[in-house]
Amino acid sequence: EIGADGFPIELGAGAMAITYRARDTVLNSVVALKVIDRSTAQDPRARSRFLREARAAAQIRHPNVARVSHYGEQHGECFYVMELVEGETLETRVRRDGAMPLALALEVMEQAARALAAAEACGVVHRDIKPSNIMLECDAAGALVVKVIDYGVAKVLAPEAERGAEQTQTGFIGTPAFASPEQFPSIGQTRIDTRSDIYSLGVTFWYLLCGRVPFVGRTLEDIPARQAEPVPVEQLKGLDIPSRCLALLKSMLAPDPQNRPQSARELRPAVHRCYAKFNAASRAYRRRAALAAAGTALVVAAIASGAWFYK
């Protein structure tokens, strides 16, 4: 689609691809079109990575993951078509409005955990979970919907994956501030699985709550060194984070993958328990229940008093 300035409408750009707003002229539907240019497409490794990204995303069929519907090559360019998410990223939301209320952050985390579970079932590790790769939109009824996007550095663990697709590339892959300790070459660990995405989701959760990441560094070596230190809970001071939520956050940010939730399926109920207990609707229900109980107690007391006076 062409904007008012006469140029194609760009939705985002990465190291090797640009995503445009486009229209499927056959189905007459608006989509997102991700394209790598001719020069990049000449590199067999770039083409293979781009195809692997499309295949990884296409495997995952879930409401919380932006779905891929088509891959093609034309005039020396490679492209794929995906669902257009009409919303904004978590990063954009926090930069504009500041830290999220706990109930909203938990709702986002619960839906994101569902997306991780769906990817896990397909043997896909995202490896770049961060606020700019998670989008928010509203459905037709106005309910919040979370969408995980951009599987550009995904790792495929499924047995049916193409040969070599499950191998981790040499060096660092991901975004340093949100990466798990095992993603850093200096750690010396090679196995990357869903627990890595769980760590990155934990950093994202932290970012939603206070608008910053827990660990920063000037070099790639600095960050894993910081990650080995105790979680800086002082950054959350004054936010009134319940102990159960704080315990969940700490478990997601454990430096050792063995100390984190061991799968997205294990993470989901833990997040749900926090969300169910601390979301606004639950708090309102508890307030109404408390008021109703107090009213009942007053009525009982009044009846008892009246019965005593009558005697």
Side-chain angles (χ1 to χ4, degrees):
E1 292 194 339
I2 305 301
D5 58 2
F7 291 94
I9 300 174
E10 288 190 18
L11 300 176
M16 71 172 187
I18 300 177
T19 304
Y20 299 97
R21 182 184 177 96
R23 180 172 295 277
D24 184 327
T25 56
V26 176
L27 300 178
N28 193 31
S29 60
V30 181
V31 297
L33 183 70
K34 191 166 186 176
V35 184
I36 57 173
D37 60 30
R38 293 179 181 86
S39 59
T40 305
Q42 297 305 310
D43 182 350
R45 292 175 299 178
R47 290 168 67 97
S48 175
R49 173 180 163 184
F50 190 69
L51 177 57
R52 188 164 67 246
E53 172 186 353
R55 284 177 171 170
Q59 288 181 49
I60 308 167
R61 302 281 182 156
H62 192 272
N64 295 122
V65 177
R67 65 184 180 277
V68 169
S69 59
H70 181 75
Y71 175 88
E73 298 181 8
Q74 181 175 301
H75 306 310
E77 293 179 328
C78 301
F79 64 91
Y80 68 80
V81 178
M82 58 184 165
E83 171 188 3
L84 177 67
V85 182
E86 298 275 18
E88 62 182 356
T89 67
L90 293 179
E91 181 179 39
T92 299
R93 173 69 174 266
V94 171
R95 285 182 180 274
R96 185 188 68 241
D97 298 341
M100 280 188 177
L102 176 61
L104 179 57
L106 284 169
E107 182 177 1
V108 171
M109 286 299 102
E110 181 170 25
Q111 293 194 42
R114 293 176 194 160
L116 290 193
E120 181 179 68
C122 296
V124 175
V125 183
H126 191 289
R127 293 201 295 183
D128 201 18
I129 294 292
K130 58 184 178 181
S132 60
N133 280 339
I134 301 177
M135 295 193 69
L136 300 176
E137 67 173 358
C138 291
D139 63 15
L144 180 73
V145 178
V146 172
K147 297 277 188 179
V148 175
I149 63 172
D150 199 347
Y151 282 78
V153 296
K155 179 180 179 182
V156 183
L157 303 175
E160 63 273 15
E162 62 194 87
R163 177 178 292 274
E166 75 286 352
Q167 299 300 317
T168 300
Q169 300 176 32
T170 302
F172 177 81
I173 297 174
T175 303
F178 294 89
S180 66
E182 56 268 30
Q183 287 179 262
F184 291 89
S186 59
I187 299 301
Q189 296 178 342
T190 57
R191 178 169 175 76
I192 304 292
D193 55 28
T194 303
R195 294 174 298 180
S196 177
D197 283 349
I198 289 173
Y199 185 96
S200 299
L201 189 60
V203 180
T204 299
F205 189 15
W206 190 284
Y207 178 84
L208 297 185
L209 292 175
C210 62
R212 58 188 293 189
V213 295
F215 306 107
V216 294
R218 295 182 179 179
T219 67
L220 281 181
E221 290 74 24
D222 288 343
I223 295 178
R226 298 281 189 277
Q227 291 172 330
E229 299 172 356
V231 176
V233 292
E234 64 277 4
Q235 293 182 13
L236 304 176
K237 186 177 180 180
L239 298 180
D240 193 25
I241 306 297
S243 58
R244 177 178 290 186
C245 294
L246 188 57
L248 170 65
L249 194 49
K250 287 181 176 179
S251 72
M252 295 173 72
L253 294 176
D256 187 344
Q258 294 292 337
N259 296 328
R260 299 175 207 151
Q262 294 300 288
S263 67
R265 290 184 64 185
E266 181 181 324
L267 174 66
R268 281 181 56 194
V271 176
H272 179 73
R273 284 192 294 270
C274 287
Y275 176 60
K277 184 172 182 179
F278 299 109
N279 72 72
S282 293
R283 288 201 302 271
Y285 174 80
R286 289 197 296 272
R287 283 198 298 269
R288 289 195 299 270
L291 289 173
T296 300
L298 288 173
V299 170
V300 171
I303 292 173
S305 298
W308 179 83
F309 180 79
Y310 180 76
K311 289 180 179 180

Short mmCIF file of all heavy atoms in Angstrom, two decimals, residues 102-103 105-106 109 198 201-203 205-207 209-210 214-215 230-255 259-261 267 270-271 273-275 277-278:
data_model
loop_
_atom_site.label_atom_id
_atom_site.label_comp_id
_atom_site.label_asym_id
_atom_site.label_seq_id
_atom_site.Cartn_x
_atom_site.Cartn_y
_atom_site.Cartn_z
N LEU A 102 0.25 -3.45 37.54
CA LEU A 102 0.55 -4.87 37.71
C LEU A 102 -0.48 -5.77 37.04
O LEU A 102 -0.12 -6.74 36.36
CB LEU A 102 0.63 -5.20 39.21
CG LEU A 102 0.84 -6.68 39.55
CD1 LEU A 102 2.15 -7.19 38.98
CD2 LEU A 102 0.79 -6.88 41.07
N ALA A 103 -1.77 -5.46 37.19
CA ALA A 103 -2.81 -6.32 36.62
C ALA A 103 -2.68 -6.41 35.11
O ALA A 103 -2.80 -7.49 34.52
CB ALA A 103 -4.19 -5.81 37.02
N ALA A 105 0.09 -5.80 33.30
CA ALA A 105 1.34 -6.51 32.98
C ALA A 105 1.16 -8.02 33.11
O ALA A 105 1.67 -8.79 32.29
CB ALA A 105 2.45 -6.02 33.89
N LEU A 106 0.42 -8.45 34.12
CA LEU A 106 0.18 -9.89 34.30
C LEU A 106 -0.69 -10.44 33.19
O LEU A 106 -0.49 -11.58 32.73
CB LEU A 106 -0.48 -10.14 35.66
CG LEU A 106 0.44 -10.07 36.87
CD1 LEU A 106 -0.36 -10.08 38.17
CD2 LEU A 106 1.44 -11.22 36.87
N MET A 109 1.58 -10.91 30.32
CA MET A 109 2.46 -12.06 30.55
C MET A 109 1.73 -13.38 30.35
O MET A 109 2.28 -14.34 29.81
CB MET A 109 3.04 -11.99 31.96
CG MET A 109 4.11 -10.94 32.16
SD MET A 109 5.56 -11.18 31.09
CE MET A 109 5.22 -9.95 29.82
N ILE A 198 11.90 -17.98 28.40
CA ILE A 198 11.27 -17.67 29.69
C ILE A 198 12.06 -16.58 30.41
O ILE A 198 11.49 -15.65 31.00
CB ILE A 198 11.14 -18.94 30.55
CG1 ILE A 198 10.06 -19.86 29.96
CG2 ILE A 198 10.80 -18.59 32.00
CD1 ILE A 198 9.96 -21.21 30.63
N LEU A 201 11.35 -13.33 28.69
CA LEU A 201 10.01 -12.87 29.05
C LEU A 201 10.02 -12.29 30.46
O LEU A 201 9.31 -11.32 30.74
CB LEU A 201 9.02 -14.02 28.95
CG LEU A 201 7.53 -13.64 29.10
CD1 LEU A 201 7.11 -12.65 28.02
CD2 LEU A 201 6.65 -14.88 29.06
N GLY A 202 10.84 -12.84 31.34
CA GLY A 202 10.99 -12.29 32.68
C GLY A 202 11.56 -10.88 32.66
O GLY A 202 11.11 -9.98 33.38
N VAL A 203 12.57 -10.65 31.80
CA VAL A 203 13.13 -9.30 31.65
C VAL A 203 12.07 -8.36 31.10
O VAL A 203 11.96 -7.21 31.52
CB VAL A 203 14.37 -9.32 30.73
CG1 VAL A 203 14.95 -7.90 30.59
CG2 VAL A 203 15.45 -10.26 31.28
N PHE A 205 8.83 -8.65 31.53
CA PHE A 205 7.91 -8.42 32.64
C PHE A 205 8.46 -7.31 33.54
O PHE A 205 7.76 -6.37 33.94
CB PHE A 205 7.74 -9.73 33.42
CG PHE A 205 6.67 -9.72 34.47
CD1 PHE A 205 5.70 -8.74 34.53
CD2 PHE A 205 6.64 -10.73 35.44
CE1 PHE A 205 4.71 -8.74 35.51
CE2 PHE A 205 5.66 -10.75 36.42
CZ PHE A 205 4.71 -9.75 36.46
N TRP A 206 9.74 -7.40 33.85
CA TRP A 206 10.41 -6.39 34.68
C TRP A 206 10.29 -5.01 34.01
O TRP A 206 9.98 -4.02 34.68
CB TRP A 206 11.87 -6.78 34.85
CG TRP A 206 12.64 -5.99 35.86
CD1 TRP A 206 13.13 -4.72 35.72
CD2 TRP A 206 13.02 -6.41 37.17
NE1 TRP A 206 13.80 -4.33 36.86
CE2 TRP A 206 13.75 -5.36 37.77
CE3 TRP A 206 12.83 -7.60 37.90
CZ2 TRP A 206 14.28 -5.45 39.04
CZ3 TRP A 206 13.36 -7.68 39.17
CH2 TRP A 206 14.06 -6.62 39.74
N TYR A 207 10.55 -4.98 32.72
CA TYR A 207 10.48 -3.72 31.96
C TYR A 207 9.08 -3.12 32.02
O TYR A 207 8.92 -1.90 32.15
CB TYR A 207 10.90 -4.00 30.51
CG TYR A 207 10.82 -2.80 29.60
CD1 TYR A 207 11.86 -1.88 29.53
CD2 TYR A 207 9.71 -2.61 28.77
CE1 TYR A 207 11.79 -0.79 28.67
CE2 TYR A 207 9.63 -1.52 27.92
CZ TYR A 207 10.67 -0.61 27.87
OH TYR A 207 10.59 0.47 27.03
N LEU A 209 6.95 -3.42 34.39
CA LEU A 209 6.64 -2.96 35.75
C LEU A 209 7.34 -1.67 36.13
O LEU A 209 6.81 -0.88 36.91
CB LEU A 209 7.00 -4.06 36.75
CG LEU A 209 6.14 -5.34 36.69
CD1 LEU A 209 6.69 -6.37 37.66
CD2 LEU A 209 4.69 -5.03 37.00
N CYS A 210 8.56 -1.47 35.62
CA CYS A 210 9.30 -0.27 36.06
C CYS A 210 9.93 0.54 34.93
O CYS A 210 10.61 1.54 35.20
CB CYS A 210 10.37 -0.65 37.10
SG CYS A 210 11.64 -1.76 36.48
N PRO A 214 16.53 -5.03 34.23
CA PRO A 214 17.23 -5.23 35.51
C PRO A 214 18.75 -5.18 35.41
O PRO A 214 19.42 -4.78 36.36
CB PRO A 214 16.77 -6.62 35.96
CG PRO A 214 16.37 -7.32 34.70
CD PRO A 214 15.82 -6.25 33.80
N PHE A 215 19.30 -5.56 34.26
CA PHE A 215 20.76 -5.63 34.13
C PHE A 215 21.22 -4.91 32.87
O PHE A 215 20.65 -5.11 31.80
CB PHE A 215 21.22 -7.10 34.05
CG PHE A 215 20.74 -7.95 35.19
CD1 PHE A 215 19.74 -8.89 34.99
CD2 PHE A 215 21.27 -7.80 36.46
CE1 PHE A 215 19.29 -9.68 36.03
CE2 PHE A 215 20.81 -8.58 37.51
CZ PHE A 215 19.82 -9.52 37.30
N PRO A 230 22.53 -10.94 42.53
CA PRO A 230 21.12 -10.99 42.97
C PRO A 230 20.25 -10.02 42.17
O PRO A 230 20.71 -8.96 41.75
CB PRO A 230 21.21 -10.57 44.45
CG PRO A 230 22.61 -10.92 44.86
CD PRO A 230 23.46 -10.69 43.65
N VAL A 231 19.02 -10.40 41.98
CA VAL A 231 18.08 -9.55 41.23
C VAL A 231 17.92 -8.21 41.95
O VAL A 231 17.69 -8.17 43.16
CB VAL A 231 16.71 -10.25 41.10
CG1 VAL A 231 15.70 -9.33 40.41
CG2 VAL A 231 16.84 -11.56 40.33
N PRO A 232 18.07 -7.09 41.25
CA PRO A 232 18.03 -5.76 41.88
C PRO A 232 16.60 -5.33 42.24
O PRO A 232 16.01 -4.46 41.59
CB PRO A 232 18.64 -4.85 40.82
CG PRO A 232 18.29 -5.50 39.53
CD PRO A 232 18.34 -6.98 39.80
N VAL A 233 16.06 -5.92 43.28
CA VAL A 233 14.66 -5.65 43.65
C VAL A 233 14.44 -4.20 44.06
O VAL A 233 13.30 -3.73 44.09
CB VAL A 233 14.21 -6.59 44.79
CG1 VAL A 233 14.11 -8.02 44.30
CG2 VAL A 233 15.15 -6.49 45.98
N GLU A 234 15.53 -3.47 44.35
CA GLU A 234 15.37 -2.06 44.73
C GLU A 234 14.78 -1.24 43.57
O GLU A 234 14.18 -0.18 43.80
CB GLU A 234 16.71 -1.46 45.17
CG GLU A 234 17.79 -1.39 44.11
CD GLU A 234 18.58 -2.69 43.95
OE1 GLU A 234 18.22 -3.68 44.62
OE2 GLU A 234 19.52 -2.69 43.15
N GLN A 235 14.94 -1.73 42.33
CA GLN A 235 14.34 -1.03 41.19
C GLN A 235 12.81 -1.06 41.27
O GLN A 235 12.15 -0.22 40.68
CB GLN A 235 14.80 -1.67 39.88
CG GLN A 235 16.27 -1.50 39.56
CD GLN A 235 16.65 -2.11 38.22
OE1 GLN A 235 15.78 -2.46 37.42
NE2 GLN A 235 17.94 -2.25 37.97
N LEU A 236 12.27 -2.04 41.97
CA LEU A 236 10.82 -2.19 42.08
C LEU A 236 10.26 -1.54 43.34
O LEU A 236 9.07 -1.66 43.62
CB LEU A 236 10.44 -3.68 42.07
CG LEU A 236 10.93 -4.50 40.87
CD1 LEU A 236 10.57 -5.97 41.05
CD2 LEU A 236 10.36 -3.97 39.57
N LYS A 237 11.12 -0.86 44.08
CA LYS A 237 10.70 -0.25 45.34
C LYS A 237 9.55 0.73 45.11
O LYS A 237 9.56 1.55 44.19
CB LYS A 237 11.88 0.48 45.98
CG LYS A 237 11.59 1.02 47.37
CD LYS A 237 12.82 1.67 47.97
CE LYS A 237 12.53 2.21 49.37
NZ LYS A 237 13.74 2.85 49.97
N GLY A 238 8.54 0.62 45.94
CA GLY A 238 7.41 1.52 45.86
C GLY A 238 6.32 1.07 44.90
O GLY A 238 5.29 1.74 44.78
N LEU A 239 6.53 -0.06 44.23
CA LEU A 239 5.54 -0.53 43.26
C LEU A 239 4.52 -1.49 43.88
O LEU A 239 3.58 -1.90 43.21
CB LEU A 239 6.23 -1.21 42.08
CG LEU A 239 7.17 -0.32 41.25
CD1 LEU A 239 7.78 -1.11 40.11
CD2 LEU A 239 6.41 0.89 40.70
N ASP A 240 4.74 -1.87 45.11
CA ASP A 240 3.81 -2.75 45.82
C ASP A 240 3.59 -4.05 45.05
O ASP A 240 2.45 -4.44 44.78
CB ASP A 240 2.48 -2.03 46.06
CG ASP A 240 1.60 -2.77 47.07
OD1 ASP A 240 2.16 -3.50 47.91
OD2 ASP A 240 0.36 -2.61 47.02
N ILE A 241 4.69 -4.72 44.71
CA ILE A 241 4.60 -6.00 44.01
C ILE A 241 4.37 -7.10 45.04
O ILE A 241 5.18 -7.29 45.95
CB ILE A 241 5.90 -6.30 43.23
CG1 ILE A 241 6.25 -5.14 42.29
CG2 ILE A 241 5.76 -7.60 42.45
CD1 ILE A 241 5.24 -4.88 41.23
N PRO A 242 3.28 -7.86 44.95
CA PRO A 242 3.01 -8.93 45.91
C PRO A 242 4.12 -9.98 45.89
O PRO A 242 4.79 -10.18 44.88
CB PRO A 242 1.69 -9.52 45.42
CG PRO A 242 1.06 -8.44 44.59
CD PRO A 242 2.20 -7.72 43.95
N SER A 243 4.30 -10.63 47.02
CA SER A 243 5.39 -11.59 47.17
C SER A 243 5.30 -12.72 46.15
O SER A 243 6.32 -13.19 45.64
CB SER A 243 5.41 -12.16 48.59
OG SER A 243 4.17 -12.78 48.90
N ARG A 244 4.08 -13.16 45.83
CA ARG A 244 3.94 -14.26 44.86
C ARG A 244 4.43 -13.82 43.49
O ARG A 244 5.12 -14.58 42.79
CB ARG A 244 2.48 -14.70 44.77
CG ARG A 244 2.25 -15.79 43.73
CD ARG A 244 0.81 -16.25 43.68
NE ARG A 244 0.44 -17.01 44.86
CZ ARG A 244 -0.74 -17.62 45.01
NH1 ARG A 244 -1.65 -17.54 44.05
NH2 ARG A 244 -1.01 -18.29 46.11
N CYS A 245 4.10 -12.60 43.08
CA CYS A 245 4.55 -12.10 41.79
C CYS A 245 6.06 -11.90 41.77
O CYS A 245 6.73 -12.19 40.77
CB CYS A 245 3.86 -10.78 41.45
SG CYS A 245 2.07 -10.92 41.20
N LEU A 246 6.59 -11.41 42.87
CA LEU A 246 8.04 -11.21 42.95
C LEU A 246 8.77 -12.54 42.90
O LEU A 246 9.81 -12.66 42.24
CB LEU A 246 8.40 -10.46 44.24
CG LEU A 246 9.85 -10.00 44.38
CD1 LEU A 246 10.24 -9.10 43.22
CD2 LEU A 246 10.05 -9.28 45.72
N ALA A 247 8.22 -13.56 43.54
CA ALA A 247 8.82 -14.89 43.49
C ALA A 247 8.81 -15.44 42.07
O ALA A 247 9.78 -16.05 41.61
CB ALA A 247 8.09 -15.83 44.44
N LEU A 248 7.71 -15.23 41.35
CA LEU A 248 7.62 -15.67 39.97
C LEU A 248 8.67 -14.96 39.12
O LEU A 248 9.38 -15.59 38.32
CB LEU A 248 6.22 -15.38 39.41
CG LEU A 248 6.04 -15.57 37.90
CD1 LEU A 248 6.23 -17.03 37.52
CD2 LEU A 248 4.67 -15.07 37.46
N LEU A 249 8.78 -13.66 39.30
CA LEU A 249 9.74 -12.86 38.53
C LEU A 249 11.17 -13.34 38.79
O LEU A 249 11.97 -13.50 37.85
CB LEU A 249 9.58 -11.39 38.92
CG LEU A 249 10.21 -10.31 38.04
CD1 LEU A 249 9.87 -10.51 36.58
CD2 LEU A 249 9.77 -8.95 38.52
N LYS A 250 11.50 -13.58 40.04
CA LYS A 250 12.84 -14.05 40.38
C LYS A 250 13.12 -15.42 39.77
O LYS A 250 14.24 -15.69 39.32
CB LYS A 250 13.00 -14.10 41.91
CG LYS A 250 13.14 -12.75 42.58
CD LYS A 250 13.33 -12.91 44.08
CE LYS A 250 13.55 -11.59 44.78
NZ LYS A 250 13.73 -11.76 46.25
N SER A 251 12.11 -16.28 39.76
CA SER A 251 12.32 -17.62 39.19
C SER A 251 12.55 -17.53 37.68
O SER A 251 13.38 -18.28 37.13
CB SER A 251 11.12 -18.52 39.49
OG SER A 251 9.98 -18.16 38.73
N MET A 252 11.86 -16.63 37.00
CA MET A 252 12.06 -16.47 35.57
C MET A 252 13.44 -15.91 35.25
O MET A 252 14.02 -16.19 34.19
CB MET A 252 10.98 -15.55 34.98
CG MET A 252 9.56 -16.11 35.07
SD MET A 252 8.29 -14.93 34.54
CE MET A 252 8.54 -14.88 32.77
N LEU A 253 13.99 -15.12 36.18
CA LEU A 253 15.29 -14.48 35.98
C LEU A 253 16.44 -15.25 36.63
O LEU A 253 17.54 -14.70 36.77
CB LEU A 253 15.25 -13.05 36.53
CG LEU A 253 14.32 -12.08 35.79
CD1 LEU A 253 14.29 -10.73 36.48
CD2 LEU A 253 14.74 -11.92 34.34
N ALA A 254 16.22 -16.49 37.01
CA ALA A 254 17.29 -17.29 37.60
C ALA A 254 18.42 -17.46 36.59
O ALA A 254 18.17 -17.82 35.43
CB ALA A 254 16.76 -18.64 38.03
N PRO A 255 19.68 -17.20 36.98
CA PRO A 255 20.80 -17.34 36.03
C PRO A 255 20.94 -18.76 35.50
O PRO A 255 21.27 -18.96 34.33
CB PRO A 255 22.02 -16.94 36.87
CG PRO A 255 21.47 -16.13 38.00
CD PRO A 255 20.12 -16.69 38.29
N ASN A 259 16.90 -23.57 37.43
CA ASN A 259 16.14 -22.94 38.51
C ASN A 259 14.95 -22.13 38.02
O ASN A 259 14.24 -21.52 38.81
CB ASN A 259 17.06 -22.06 39.35
CG ASN A 259 18.14 -22.86 40.06
OD1 ASN A 259 17.92 -24.01 40.43
ND2 ASN A 259 19.32 -22.27 40.22
N ARG A 260 14.75 -22.08 36.71
CA ARG A 260 13.59 -21.39 36.15
C ARG A 260 12.46 -22.39 35.95
O ARG A 260 12.68 -23.61 36.05
CB ARG A 260 13.96 -20.80 34.77
CG ARG A 260 15.06 -19.78 34.79
CD ARG A 260 15.41 -19.35 33.37
NE ARG A 260 16.81 -18.91 33.32
CZ ARG A 260 17.60 -18.99 32.27
NH1 ARG A 260 17.11 -19.48 31.13
NH2 ARG A 260 18.85 -18.58 32.33
N PRO A 261 11.25 -21.91 35.63
CA PRO A 261 10.23 -22.84 35.16
C PRO A 261 10.81 -23.63 33.98
O PRO A 261 11.44 -23.05 33.09
CB PRO A 261 9.10 -21.90 34.71
CG PRO A 261 9.26 -20.69 35.56
CD PRO A 261 10.75 -20.51 35.72
N LEU A 267 5.22 -22.63 33.12
CA LEU A 267 5.13 -21.19 33.40
C LEU A 267 3.69 -20.70 33.39
O LEU A 267 3.30 -19.88 34.23
CB LEU A 267 5.96 -20.42 32.37
CG LEU A 267 5.87 -18.89 32.43
CD1 LEU A 267 6.49 -18.37 33.71
CD2 LEU A 267 6.55 -18.28 31.20
N ALA A 270 1.62 -20.75 36.59
CA ALA A 270 2.21 -19.87 37.61
C ALA A 270 1.82 -18.42 37.35
O ALA A 270 1.47 -17.67 38.28
CB ALA A 270 3.73 -20.03 37.62
N VAL A 271 1.87 -18.01 36.09
CA VAL A 271 1.46 -16.65 35.74
C VAL A 271 -0.03 -16.48 35.96
O VAL A 271 -0.49 -15.46 36.49
CB VAL A 271 1.82 -16.34 34.27
CG1 VAL A 271 1.30 -14.96 33.87
CG2 VAL A 271 3.32 -16.41 34.05
N ARG A 273 -1.98 -17.99 38.08
CA ARG A 273 -2.32 -17.87 39.52
C ARG A 273 -2.11 -16.44 40.01
O ARG A 273 -2.93 -15.91 40.78
CB ARG A 273 -1.49 -18.86 40.33
CG ARG A 273 -1.98 -20.31 40.21
CD ARG A 273 -1.32 -21.19 41.25
NE ARG A 273 0.11 -21.34 41.02
CZ ARG A 273 0.66 -22.30 40.27
NH1 ARG A 273 -0.11 -23.20 39.68
NH2 ARG A 273 1.96 -22.37 40.12
N CYS A 274 -1.02 -15.83 39.57
CA CYS A 274 -0.77 -14.43 39.96
C CYS A 274 -1.82 -13.51 39.35
O CYS A 274 -2.36 -12.64 40.04
CB CYS A 274 0.62 -14.00 39.49
SG CYS A 274 1.98 -14.72 40.42
N TYR A 275 -2.11 -13.73 38.08
CA TYR A 275 -3.08 -12.87 37.40
C TYR A 275 -4.47 -13.00 38.00
O TYR A 275 -5.17 -12.01 38.24
CB TYR A 275 -3.10 -13.21 35.91
CG TYR A 275 -4.15 -12.44 35.14
CD1 TYR A 275 -4.12 -11.04 35.09
CD2 TYR A 275 -5.15 -13.10 34.43
CE1 TYR A 275 -5.08 -10.34 34.38
CE2 TYR A 275 -6.11 -12.40 33.73
CZ TYR A 275 -6.07 -11.02 33.70
OH TYR A 275 -7.02 -10.32 33.01
N LYS A 277 -5.28 -13.82 40.94
CA LYS A 277 -5.36 -13.30 42.31
C LYS A 277 -5.28 -11.78 42.36
O LYS A 277 -5.93 -11.14 43.20
CB LYS A 277 -4.25 -13.91 43.16
CG LYS A 277 -4.33 -13.49 44.62
CD LYS A 277 -3.33 -14.25 45.48
CE LYS A 277 -3.48 -13.86 46.95
NZ LYS A 277 -2.53 -14.60 47.82
N PHE A 278 -4.51 -11.19 41.44
CA PHE A 278 -4.20 -9.77 41.59
C PHE A 278 -4.76 -8.87 40.50
O PHE A 278 -4.52 -7.68 40.52
CB PHE A 278 -2.69 -9.57 41.68
CG PHE A 278 -2.08 -10.27 42.86
CD1 PHE A 278 -1.28 -11.38 42.67
CD2 PHE A 278 -2.33 -9.83 44.14
CE1 PHE A 278 -0.72 -12.04 43.76
CE2 PHE A 278 -1.78 -10.49 45.24
CZ PHE A 278 -0.98 -11.59 45.05
#
